[in-house]
Each structure stands twice: as C-alpha cells, then as structure tokens.
Amino acid sequence: MRMNSILNRASRNFLWQHPWQLVLAIVGIALGVAVVIAIDLAMESSLKSFNQAGKAFSGSATHRIVAGDGGLDERLYTRLRVEQGIANLSPVVSGTVKLMQPQQETFSLIGIDPFIEKSLHSGWQNEQKEKFPRELLNRLMTEPNSVLLSEKTAQRLHLQVNGQLKVVTERGPQSLTIIGLLPGNNAISDQVLARLLITDIATAQEVLGAYGGLSSIEVMIDKDTPEALAAIQKVLPGYAMLVSIDSQADSMREMTDAFSINLKALGLLSLLVGMFLIYNTMTFLVMQRRRLIGTLRLLGVTRQQVFKLIIGEAFLLAIVGTIVGIALGIVLGQGLLYLISGTINALYFRIDAASLMVTPLQIAKGVALGIGATLLAVLPPAFEATRLSAVKVLARSQLESGSRRLIKTVGSMSFVLILGGLSLAYFSGNSINFGLASVFLVLFGFGLLTPVVTLAFMNLIERVFGRFLGILGRLPARMVAAEISRTGLAIAALMIAVSATIGMDLMIGSFRQTVAQWLHSSLPADLYVSLSGEKMTAGKAQSDHRLKDKLAGLNGVEMLSTALHTKVSVNGKLTKISVYELNDKFRQGFIFKHQVNDDVWMRFDNERTVMITEPYAYHHGVKPGQQVFLKTDQGELAFDVIAIYGDYNGDQGHLAMSRQNYQRYWPDLGYSGIGVYAKAGADLKQLENRVGELLTAHQAVKSNQDIYKASMEVFEQTFTITETLRWLSAAIAFVGVFSALMALQFERTRQLGILRAIGITSMQLTVLIVSETGLMGLVAGLLAVPVGFLVAYILIFVVYQRSFGWTMAFYSDSGVLYQGVALAFIAALFAGVFPALKMAQTKPAEALRTE
Amino acid sequence: MTKETAISIQQLSKSYQESGQQHAIFSNLEMQVARGEFIVLLGRSGSGKSTFLNLISGIDPPDSGKVLINGTDITGLSEHKRTLFRRHHIGFVFQSFNLIPTLTVAENLLLPLELIKRVTRQDHQHVGQLLEKLNLADRLNTYPDRLSGGEQQRIAIARALIHDPDVILADEPTGNLDLDTAEQVLELLDILVRKAGKTMIMATHSPEVIGKADRVFSVRNKALHAHEFDS
C-alpha cells in the first residue's frame, strides 16, 4: 500500500470520527455557494427571460421602432412599407393577459403578421421542428380571437386544440380559441414558448384594446445599406425611435446593473461569512490533530506531505460542499427569482413569467467559487499544520500565545484596512464597485480587529464579574479569552453579519422615512383618478378631456391637476417624461435639491424648459443651466434644464415638463392621471363616490392615503430581496458560531470533565458554557453597533447614491441598535445551548478519558 | 479498638459494551476501608483501576452493588446529588494533573472551596500558606502551563485537600513524573494525607508506594486480590 493512501486514511478516519465538524464544514461551504449561485441564477434568469421573450418575436431583426407608452400608430407601418418602400418590416402588438383559471398565470400575448418575409421569421417560428402548416397561419389571420400556444403548456393546463382559453385583460374577460399547438425542440425553446400566446395583429389589438396601434415594428437592415436607416429616421414621428436590438438589450442590462451589483455584493457577504466558517472549521480540524500530525512528522512524513494532506482533505470537502451548495442554490434561486423579478417589475421594466434558467457557465462559476473560497480559507491552517514540530507537540496554551501575537499584529493591520475602506469610499468617484469594496474593507477590517477588542472586553468582564461572582463568574470570560484563536473568529463572523444587518436596517429605515416624506409632499390632491389603457387608442385624448371637464364641474371640487407619463427621445435615448398641469399646491410638493430662482415656475410653464429628477441628473451628469435635446415633431430641439428635484419613483430618473410646453411639440395623448382637490369641508367619501360614477371600467379613483399605502407596499416589496439575503448571511454566521462552539466544547471535553469531577453540577456546567457563548454574542453585538452605523453611512451616502442617484437623510433608530445587539446575543446564546446540553449530559468518566 | 469504616463496597459490578457485546470489568467486588487507611491498588494498564476509583467517587455509576462512603450509599443518589456529595467529601488526584488551564494556581486551589461556600480572606491566606508549604508561594498567579510536571502535581494534591475531604482518590499520581519528583510527590501525599488522617485509595504501578500502604490489592480477572506481606 502506498504511503499516501495510508496517510489519507488516517486523515479520513479522523473526519469520520468527527461527523459534526464534517457536516458543519460542508454546510459552511454549501451555504456560501448557494446564496451566490441563487442570486446569480435568479438575476440572470430574469434578464434572460426578458431578452428571450423579445427574441420570440424579434427573430432576426436588427432594429426595432419603438415609442413611449402610447405605442406606434399602425399607419406608420404602411407609410414605411408603401411610401418609403422599406422591406423586411414586421409589425408587433404585444401585451399581457392573465388566465382566469386555474392559477391566474400571466402570459404574453403577441400579435404578428404571419406572412412576413421568411428572413424576418420570429424566434418561435424558427424554433419549430418542421415547417409550420400554412393552413394554421391562414386560420390565425381569418378566425377572430384565435391563438397558438406551446404543446407543453397545453399539456400542463389540460388544454386542447379548438378549446377555449379564458383570459382577462385591461378590457375585461375575453375568450380565445386555441387553433394549434407549437412543439418545442430544445430547452430554450420550451422556456421561450412556455408563457407565450401567438396571434395575429388584429386579434391582439382587439384583445388588448390597442385599436390602430402597434407596440413596435421589427426591422432587418443589411449592414451594407445604412441608407435604409436614414430613410426610416426621416419619416419617424417625434414620439418614435429606431433602436438597435443589441443596444436595447444592453440598456436593459445597464439599467439593472446597479441593482444586480448590490445583490451580488450581498451574496458575496454571505460567502465572506461562509469563508470565516470554513477557515474556523479547518483550523479546528488541523489543531485537533496536532498530535497525529506531530507523530506523522516523527515517522518521516514531510511538511509538503502534511500540506498536501490538508489541502486534499479541504478539496474533497469543497467538492461535496459545492455540489450541495449548487443544488441548494438552484432551489433558493427559484424562490429568489420571484422576489427579483418582482423588484425589476416594480423598478425597471416588465418581466412576465420568468423561469429559472441554469447554464453550464453558471454551474462552473459556482464550482470555481466553492472550491476557490475553500482552498483560500484553508491555506492558513494548512501552513500552520506544516509548522507543527516533529518532536514536540505544542500545548494548546503555547498555540494560543502564538495566536495572541498574531491577533495583535492583525489588529494593527485592521486599521489600515478600515482607513483604506473609508478613503476608498471618499475618493473613488462614482464607482459602485469601489463603493461596495469600501464596505467590504471596513467590515473585514473590523472583523480583524474583533479578537483584540474581545480580549479587552473579556478582561473587563472578568474583573467586574469576578469581583461579585468569584472564580465561576470569572471563568466564562477567561474561557473566551484563553481560546481567542477560535472564539475570536466566531465572534468576528457574527459581528460582520450583525453589523451588515444593522447597516442595512438603518439604510432601509432611512430610505423608508425619506420616501414617506416625499410621498406626503408629492401627493397634495385629495383624490387621484388613474386613466390607464393604451394611449394610442383612438379618441382617448378627447375622452380624457371630457372627463376632466366633468370632474371640474363636480360639486365639492376646488381645482384639478393633471399628469401624463410618457416617453420621448432625450439625447438619443427613450426617456420617461412627466407632463404636468400644476396648481400652487402641487408646486409646493416639489422638493428641489438646490436653490432655485423665483421665476422657476414661470419659466417652467412658458419657456422651452424641463426639470429633471435627481437620478436623471446623476446618471446623465446633467446640471441646471445645461440643455437636453428632445426629439419633437418639429425635429430635435434644445430644452433648458432649470431645476433638479427629488423623486423616488424609479432609479433611472425622468424629466418633467409643463403641459403647455409639451403640447407645442407633441400630439395630445390625454392624461395618465388627474388630481382632484376638494373644497374645504367637502365630504371626501361622497366626492370619491361622485368621481367614481363618472369613470369607466378601466379607470379608477383612489384617495391620496390609498396611493400612499400602495406606494409604501411597493417600497417594502422592492426590499424583500435585500431583507431575505441579509437574513441568509445572518443564518450562515449563526452556523459559524454554532460550529465554532461545538468544536470548542468538544476540544475541551476533558477540561469540562475535570470540573465535573471536582464537583461542578451539570446545571452549573450548562450555565458556564451558555454564559461563555452569551459573552461572545454580547461583544459581537456591541462591536456591531458602531460598525453597523458606519456601514449604513457608506451605504446611504456612497453606495446607494452611486447606484441609484438618490440622496436620502440619515435616520438613526435606536430600536435597530438594540435589536442588533439582541440578535447577536441571542444567536450566540442559542448556538451555545446545544453544545452546553451535550457537554452537561456527557458522563464525567467518559470526559476524563478523552484526550 | 475497631476503626470506623470510611468506604464500604458491596457486590459491586461494572461492565462496558463493545461491538454489541457486554464485557465485565468487575463482578461482585467487596471491600471495606477504615477511616485513615491507605489502600494501594496495583494492576496492569486497562485492568480497571481508574474505573474502580471512578465508581467510588460516583463519577461513574455501577451496574449493580453499593458504594457507601461514611455510611452514605452514593449509588442510590441521583447524578446531581452524587456531584454535590463528591464536592464535599472527595478529593481527586489524577495522573495527568488535570489542573484547569484557564485558571491561575491560586484560582485552581480556591475553586473547590468556592463550590462549597463563599470564599473568605482566610481562605486566601490558607491557600498562600499551603503554597508556601509546597515551596510554590511565588507561583500564586501563574497559569498551570508555566509549571513543571512535579509542580503541577503538587498543586493538584493541594487542590484535592483544600476543602478538607474525607476521602482522597489518587489515580497513578506519579505516572507522569521522573523518579525523584515521584518520590517528592509521594512524600507530600504521606505528609498531607496520611498525617491528616484522611482515607486514601491510590491506583499505581509504582512499587515504592507499597511500603507506605496499609493494605495492597491488585485488580485481576474482574476481582480484587489482597496481597499479604510479612510484617
């Protein structure tokens, strides 16, 4: 038998004899990998589902003609095709429908022209195994409300050809006839088709209520014929834009970049805490085997062989942990997918029916991360193992005194990291990555400082408690300090997780307060009427105006304000714009981010001006006094930027323009909403009822309180993912503390046996161990408070401002701090209960036999 | 005059389980130890000497039989009560010293007292005096890992006696020491234990101890065998 296999067996047997350590090490690796993988999978799947849904109907198109929320006038298609003679165009009408039964699933309804050029065949057509029967396409054109859907979806929902599909749209319930099924041919195709209903343009317009409108026109332009692009640009109306398909996908990714980076940072935080756990466990496994390693060295095993042994062992653990982590990550990713796509829906763009897509590249990333992080974490203990003397096995106390020297050195180094982190936050311009790196440096720096602080704290506790409670009172603090190489790491991991929790809590709390204040000031009307529906729908503008006149004439109405939310091309990018008809009350609700001149409102109403939101100013580097170029029906015109105002409705930012101004350059699209201001003393409930009587089924009236509540609900929903992830990292830290405590108690079994032999009862022993772990939690919690404050400060004023362009006030909440300390204390206390009970139940005779 | 019985062992049996099979260590042991008597237990490694001491101290419960110390049947006590009994009546000296590494020399000595009562200034003085007797007065605030083996064992003996127990159980107290140091430790036990009239049972391999013992037993074939010596 070869030497190496015997060595490996010696090491393996040890691991089998310590199943707890084995399991906890694997859990540490698995949890760290799972969180990172889950975030990556969920984020990428959300974006991919958006792109794939696009591909399903863009086919091989190179460009797309798009417009604001109102969509395109279908006459534009005729103009381009007939008047300009541009071939390779494909009109598309798309929207969302909800199944009435069984689970109200959401589907994308896509209306296409089935007889467009083959070169522009949509993705779904190209995905088919065989050529699609022409007869079906004819039926799609000729039979009203006919649709195609995927075979798998039909099977799943027990639907058949010629069966009816009941759906609900903004126009109310509709009935669609399934005339054919689309067979998928690979996994991607199945995913593309899973939530897709294909129909022809006319049916889509009717079902979605977009009469005379198109969502987009897909265009295929040969690289060699750039003149075609110019020809299209020439006839495009002011509200429409020609964008390349690639740049649109890029801009979607760009839009969600900050969100994605912040989520991934949270995942890395879990991995960092997980690495502490792996390091701790591996150090334990090495230190507990110092006698074995010493003996092996005595027998002639070289330092390199010892090193290889430890690394090989870690590698095996990493493989098992990573496999478990990836499996767990996929399950977790499924859960996070709904949270992430929900947040993207609320903040960025609509994603319908995202499903988790796992690619080999993402699995490979997970494998590299799990194995890489484990090997990195195991390097220090592996080197430590090679240093173990061949002739003399070091006593635990000697190892600890060596650790204390190391802790002091590392403690001094920690200041360099903390100061480096703070400097990075201050001097790194607008980089989100550097902002997050500064948070990590500060957290890691304080993590390294934790053992030094722990020693000082334990010294103090020992003096105070020792005075009143004697030796037994002194012992818990003494035990923490005596094994600082182990306890210090567990406390550091817990401190990092809790301070990140405090930091995020303070940040979310500050954000919540800021948004609440903004909502209060930006909702001055008593009632708000929302006028949803496709803005291109014929006659919408006229009917909106008629409604406005009726509202103005209602008894109890003092005045009105209106808003139209649409999109225009600003400096070549399709950008949201809010068009306002304001009154004095509404004007007071604007929170300007700088001093404005007295004539700001006069200029807003009468001159070619816009105001910009804070995120827009930040992302585009635009300041008051500068100009932005807007594409109007009269060509591209310069508008003066006259003010920056606070707005937390989305992080991409938008422009505000007076309605007078807008109507000079763009067609009338009606309103998105009308604010109703009641006369003093008017009965709001009655007024709401009177307003309701004037509305159609797709219009709604809500009080400002209802809108406030709904907006705050959206706010809470967007932070659900953050909350979930920080609890996950706290859970990993808990496993870390638990693992460290289990390891510690097992290692000192004999010492605890002696205490039992000289007369300490099992209850006293339990109290002793739980007090020790409680002290560990307390020091972690107390240190986490100032660190959490610092993290919150960097998150609010550096990371979030750089990510989203929002400024917010710092609101400290003492409740968060108490909760943070309590969290650390209780987590550590709880983590200590099981080891304490286990030790208390261990028979003293057995404990004394332990070496 | 008949001496009062300090330890009475009646029909004591103990076994352990390995690979699903029951292996007897002792079967129906009988022994009476008088107050102030010094008993030596001889036997090979693994013969069960340590287990026998653990049974007497109540650290390990027997399968059957009784252990009476000063008339109290400790086998009839709950685990908690056995611990409290041990705290007051028994002092332990181990082969590998077993001082608490996170406590100083003084704290190691005071701990058994603190478990019984509130430690007073007199107790601190008592510890100081005891350490002076042991020539270790200057190591009061030293941690055990800074002491030599002999010093550690002297402290361990002092810890076993500090709370004035009735019975001292010593499990190969010289097993880890060189000859000279072992001699000193035995001398110390003789002075501190025997002269104080304490009852002591010592498990040992050391033949030097035999001469100092009142009675010698060897543990063999699951039973205690008394050795007869010519007077």
Side-chain angles (χ1 to χ4, degrees):
Chain A
M1 200 178 282
R2 288 185 307 121
M3 178 73 165
N4 271 349
S5 68
I6 299 173
L7 271 183
N8 288 338
R9 196 194 293 177
S11 135
R12 208 169 49 230
N13 285 348
F14 182 88
L15 290 176
W16 286 126
Q17 284 161 8
H18 295 78
W20 270 106
Q21 273 75 54
L22 195 64
V23 168
L24 287 170
I26 290 170
V27 166
I29 301 165
L31 284 178
V33 171
V35 176
V36 176
I37 282 279
I39 292 171
D40 193 39
L41 285 177
M43 193 69 211
E44 288 301 314
S45 298
S46 299
L47 294 178
K48 266 187 213 153
S49 75
F50 181 83
N51 289 338
Q52 289 198 342
K55 270 188 193 164
F57 57 90
S58 68
S60 41
T62 57
H63 289 74
R64 180 176 290 156
I65 300 170
V66 289
D69 295 344
L72 297 160
D73 189 327
E74 67 179 1
R75 284 172 296 187
L76 177 65
Y77 175 67
T78 324
R79 235 180 121 188
L80 286 167
R81 186 130 204 163
V82 180
E83 290 175 21
Q84 301 294 316
I86 297 165
N88 289 336
L89 296 176
S90 169
V92 174
V93 174
S94 64
T96 311
V97 297
K98 206 180 253 184
L99 289 196
M100 284 176 85
Q101 293 295 334
Q103 289 149 337
Q104 297 205 320
E105 282 182 38
T106 307
F107 276 73
S108 292
L109 179 74
I110 294 176
I112 47 124
D113 175 359
F115 297 109
I116 48 160
E117 289 84 348
K118 194 182 168 194
S119 56
L120 251 174
H121 269 179
S122 302
W124 64 271
Q125 283 164 297
N126 291 330
E127 295 286 353
Q128 300 312 304
K129 275 183 204 158
E130 295 154 18
K131 197 167 181 287
F132 208 73
R134 196 168 179 85
E135 178 254 335
L136 267 185
L137 297 179
N138 281 335
R139 285 182 65 194
L140 210 57
M141 287 280 279
T142 52
E143 290 180 23
N145 284 15
S146 55
V147 292
L148 304 169
L149 82 161
S150 92
E151 253 176 20
K152 285 204 171 161
T153 308
Q155 270 172 14
R156 185 168 60 81
L157 298 172
H158 309 294
L159 296 168
Q160 284 167 346
V161 174
N162 296 327
Q164 293 294 303
L165 190 63
K166 306 270 185 205
V167 297
V168 182
T169 69
E170 287 192 347
R171 292 189 60 234
Q174 314 260 349
S175 185
L176 304 172
T177 310
I178 303 162
I179 58 160
L181 301 178
L182 305 168
N185 61 354
N186 60 44
I188 299 293
S189 161
D190 281 339
Q191 281 174 337
V192 168
L193 294 174
R195 299 281 177 90
L196 214 58
L197 298 175
I198 309 288
T199 187
D200 79 314
I201 299 268
T203 300
Q205 284 177 331
E206 196 173 321
V207 170
L208 300 168
Y211 302 106
L214 298 173
S215 304
S216 62
I217 301 172
E218 308 298 308
V219 187
M220 195 178 83
I221 292 171
D222 199 319
K223 277 181 194 161
D224 303 331
T225 55
E227 59 274 13
L229 277 180
I232 295 172
Q233 292 281 21
K234 214 170 87 183
V235 294
L236 282 189
Y239 66 88
M241 268 186 80
L242 180 69
V243 294
S244 88
I245 298 282
D246 290 344
S247 75
Q248 208 185 16
D250 286 348
S251 74
M252 293 301 171
R253 195 164 277 279
E254 210 173 276
M255 218 187 265
T256 53
D257 245 7
F259 175 60
S260 170
I261 290 171
N262 277 287
L263 279 190
K264 284 176 182 168
L266 271 173
L268 287 175
L269 177 72
S270 304
L271 191 70
L272 178 72
V273 176
M275 276 175 75
F276 266 87
L277 174 54
I278 300 163
Y279 171 78
N280 211 13
T281 311
M282 291 312 294
T283 308
F284 168 79
L285 289 175
V286 169
M287 287 302 118
Q288 213 183 34
R289 268 178 299 177
R290 56 191 186 273
R291 195 176 289 276
L292 169 71
I293 294 168
T295 311
L296 291 174
R297 295 273 291 115
L298 202 65
L299 291 172
V301 174
T302 65
R303 286 179 196 277
Q304 286 80 0
Q305 280 174 310
V306 170
F307 186 78
K308 272 189 202 163
L309 191 74
I310 304 295
I311 293 289
E313 200 175 276
F315 188 70
L316 282 178
L317 285 176
I319 288 175
V320 179
T322 304
I323 291 170
V324 176
I326 288 172
L328 201 65
I330 292 172
V331 177
L332 193 63
Q334 193 69 50
L336 293 185
L337 179 65
Y338 293 104
L339 294 177
I340 288 179
S341 51
T343 306
I344 293 179
N345 268 333
L347 285 181
Y348 303 100
F349 44 83
R350 188 162 186 87
I351 303 173
D352 296 314
S355 55
L356 202 71
M357 300 176 208
V358 185
T359 63
L361 181 70
Q362 284 168 311
I363 299 291
K365 269 200 274 183
V367 170
L369 202 69
I371 294 176
T374 307
L375 293 184
L376 197 67
V378 87
L379 275 181
F383 279 118
E384 186 73 33
T386 62
R387 285 176 46 221
L388 288 177
S389 164
V391 284
K392 194 173 103 182
V393 177
L394 292 177
R396 174 87 218 166
S397 57
Q398 282 169 288
L399 289 172
E400 285 300 333
S401 62
S403 300
R404 277 179 193 229
R405 282 194 295 277
L406 183 68
I407 282 165
K408 280 178 189 159
T409 315
V410 166
S412 339
M413 269 170 56
S414 68
F415 287 105
V416 178
L417 288 178
I418 295 164
L419 289 175
L422 294 175
S423 309
L424 194 64
Y426 194 75
F427 294 111
S428 58
N430 288 341
S431 162
I432 305 169
N433 286 327
F434 280 134
L436 283 166
S438 71
V439 174
F440 273 81
L441 276 178
V442 166
L443 278 176
F444 197 66
F446 275 103
L448 293 183
L449 190 63
T450 303
V452 179
V453 176
T454 303
L455 282 176
F457 183 76
M458 292 305 148
N459 195 15
L460 180 75
I461 289 285
E462 193 193 317
R463 281 164 195 263
V464 174
F465 281 75
R467 184 160 297 181
F468 303 108
L469 300 171
I471 297 161
L472 281 179
R474 224 171 282 163
L475 208 49
R478 193 75 70 79
M479 277 154 63
V480 175
E483 317 224 10
I484 191 69
S485 69
R486 201 66 50 71
T487 52
L489 267 176
I491 296 168
L494 188 63
M495 189 282 293
I496 287 177
V498 173
S499 60
T501 295
I502 292 176
M504 278 188 266
D505 248 346
L506 286 171
M507 184 274 291
I508 295 171
S510 298
F511 199 9
R512 186 183 287 116
Q513 286 264 47
T514 309
V515 168
Q517 282 183 356
W518 167 73
L519 277 172
H520 276 302
S521 68
S522 63
L523 292 171
D526 298 296
L527 300 171
Y528 286 88
V529 177
S530 70
L531 310 164
S532 63
E534 298 292 330
K535 294 185 188 73
M536 284 304 288
T537 308
K540 180 180 185 302
Q542 287 88 335
S543 74
D544 285 357
H545 287 300
R546 278 196 298 275
L547 176 67
K548 189 189 161 200
D549 291 341
K550 284 184 197 167
L551 288 171
L554 276 180
N555 191 18
V557 172
E558 186 191 2
M559 56 182 171
L560 301 174
S561 61
T562 69
L564 165 70
H565 303 295
T566 183
K567 285 177 188 160
V568 294
S569 164
V570 182
N571 295 342
K573 278 191 173 174
L574 204 59
T575 306
K576 283 184 184 169
I577 183 164
S578 295
V579 180
Y580 293 117
E581 217 172 354
L582 299 170
N583 54 42
D584 283 344
K585 269 195 187 173
F586 203 148
R587 287 189 184 113
Q588 282 163 18
F590 274 73
I591 302 167
F592 292 112
K593 292 290 170 179
H594 55 94
Q595 279 288 333
V596 290
N597 296 332
D598 294 341
D599 63 349
V600 68
W601 289 114
M602 191 275 291
R603 291 191 68 199
F604 183 69
D605 287 335
N606 302 314
E607 294 178 18
R608 208 158 70 199
T609 57
V610 287
M611 290 184 188
I612 55 174
T613 64
E614 196 180 20
Y616 187 89
Y618 179 79
H619 290 305
H620 299 87
V622 182
K623 289 176 189 158
Q626 292 181 335
Q627 291 185 319
V628 285
F629 294 89
L630 277 67
K631 194 178 171 199
T632 69
D633 284 351
Q634 298 157 27
E636 198 159 61
L637 293 176
F639 283 70
D640 289 337
V641 175
I642 54 167
I644 299 174
Y645 67 99
D647 185 288
Y648 297 89
N649 183 18
D651 68 357
Q652 297 306 302
H654 60 268
L655 277 60
M657 183 182 282
S658 70
R659 192 164 181 93
Q660 274 166 260
N661 232 335
Y662 183 82
Q663 282 185 331
R664 276 185 215 129
Y665 307 104
W666 289 274
D668 190 353
L669 294 173
Y671 307 114
S672 307
I674 300 173
V676 180
Y677 297 72
K679 282 181 183 158
D683 185 326
L684 281 179
K685 201 68 215 167
Q686 280 182 8
L687 184 59
E688 191 176 337
N689 291 339
R690 282 202 296 276
V691 170
E693 284 164 12
L694 298 176
L695 304 181
T696 65
H698 316 301
Q699 298 167 336
V701 58
K702 279 183 180 166
S703 71
N704 56 6
Q705 279 308 308
D706 288 343
I707 294 179
Y708 175 82
K709 273 186 210 154
S711 304
M712 290 312 287
E713 269 169 30
V714 171
F715 173 88
E716 300 300 342
Q717 184 206 326
T718 57
F719 276 103
T720 315
I721 178 77
T722 316
E723 295 271 347
T724 310
L725 290 177
R726 78 190 167 106
W727 282 114
L728 274 173
S729 66
I732 298 174
F734 176 78
V735 175
V737 178
F738 182 77
S739 146
L741 292 175
M742 284 295 282
L744 264 178
Q745 304 313 336
F746 282 128
E747 203 176 32
R748 57 161 85 118
T749 302
R750 187 176 174 85
Q751 188 187 333
L752 299 175
I754 302 162
L755 287 172
R756 296 279 284 117
I758 61 174
I760 281 185
T761 63
S762 53
M763 178 53 89
Q764 279 175 313
L765 199 68
T766 307
V767 171
L768 199 67
I769 295 171
V770 172
S771 305
E772 182 193 3
T773 63
L775 279 178
M776 288 169 70
L778 193 64
V779 71
L782 289 175
L783 192 57
V785 169
V787 181
F789 249 95
L790 205 55
V791 168
Y793 198 84
I794 301 175
L795 285 176
I796 291 172
F797 296 110
V798 179
V799 177
Y800 267 64
Q801 198 170 354
R802 288 179 190 179
S803 301
F804 307 112
W806 291 313
T807 52
M808 46 182 149
F810 189 111
Y811 291 95
S812 75
D813 176 1
S814 55
V816 171
L817 308 182
Y818 297 136
Q819 278 166 25
V821 177
L823 174 72
F825 181 65
I826 293 168
L829 214 58
F830 191 64
V833 168
F834 182 72
L837 291 178
K838 187 145 180 63
M839 279 302 126
Q841 281 166 7
T842 303
K843 291 177 183 159
E846 279 172 21
L848 284 169
R849 274 196 287 271
T850 310
E851 229 356 287
Chain B
M1 193 176 74
T2 313
K3 279 192 176 173
E4 199 181 331
T5 302
I7 303 169
S8 171
I9 290 160
Q10 300 166 9
Q11 300 285 308
L12 197 70
S13 297
K14 180 73 182 172
S15 60
Y16 66 96
Q17 208 168 17
E18 193 180 49
S19 312
Q21 283 195 320
Q22 207 74 12
H23 298 271
I25 308 172
F26 302 116
S27 197
N28 297 321
L29 290 190
E30 293 280 344
M31 185 193 229
Q32 306 295 318
V33 182
R35 185 174 298 280
E37 204 174 7
F38 176 18
I39 304 287
V40 162
L41 288 177
L42 298 174
R44 289 179 183 173
S45 294
S47 58
K49 301 188 295 292
S50 299
T51 306
F52 184 65
L53 296 184
N54 286 344
L55 290 171
I56 295 173
S57 66
I59 287 175
D60 220 358
D63 296 341
S64 60
K66 285 181 179 177
V67 175
L68 282 82
I69 295 176
N70 292 340
T72 305
D73 178 8
I74 64 164
T75 54
L77 299 177
S78 67
E79 198 281 329
H80 180 73
K81 284 189 175 160
R82 280 205 310 273
T83 304
L84 298 182
F85 184 86
R86 189 163 60 242
R87 182 186 283 187
H88 285 89
H89 300 281
I90 292 168
F92 242 115
V93 182
F94 301 92
Q95 178 179 359
S96 47
F97 327 132
N98 285 348
L99 297 173
I100 308 294
T102 46
L103 297 178
T104 61
V105 164
E107 287 168 338
N108 262 288
L109 295 184
L110 285 168
L111 182 60
L113 286 177
E114 196 178 275
L115 291 173
I116 296 170
K117 63 188 186 79
R118 189 171 174 79
V119 173
T120 60
R121 191 180 292 272
Q122 282 76 23
D123 293 321
H124 281 276
Q125 283 170 355
H126 179 43
V127 165
Q129 286 159 3
L130 197 56
L131 286 174
E132 256 175 47
K133 271 191 201 169
L134 299 172
N135 288 327
L136 291 169
D138 56 337
R139 315 308 291 268
L140 199 70
N141 293 314
T142 306
Y143 283 92
D145 61 319
R146 305 281 168 197
L147 301 175
S148 70
E151 286 172 328
Q152 285 193 54
Q153 195 59 300
R154 274 140 72 194
I155 300 295
I157 292 167
R159 181 181 67 181
L161 291 164
I162 192 87
H163 56 302
D164 196 26
D166 307 313
V167 176
I168 303 292
L169 301 172
D171 192 357
E172 304 199 25
T174 57
N176 279 357
L177 303 174
D178 60 71
L179 276 178
D180 284 346
T181 315
E183 186 64 35
Q184 286 169 22
V185 164
L186 290 176
E187 191 64 34
L188 190 70
L189 277 170
D190 197 42
I191 296 165
L192 294 180
V193 180
R194 294 223 65 188
K195 299 211 165 117
K198 306 284 177 197
T199 309
M200 177 159 70
I201 301 179
M202 183 190 292
T204 183
H205 289 294
S206 171
E208 295 81 29
V209 189
I210 295 169
K212 299 182 192 285
D214 295 316
R215 281 190 293 162
V216 177
F217 289 85
S218 62
V219 183
R220 244 182 12 246
N221 301 329
K222 303 165 202 170
L224 287 172
H225 300 272
H227 285 250
E228 298 294 332
F229 296 99
D230 296 330
S231 50

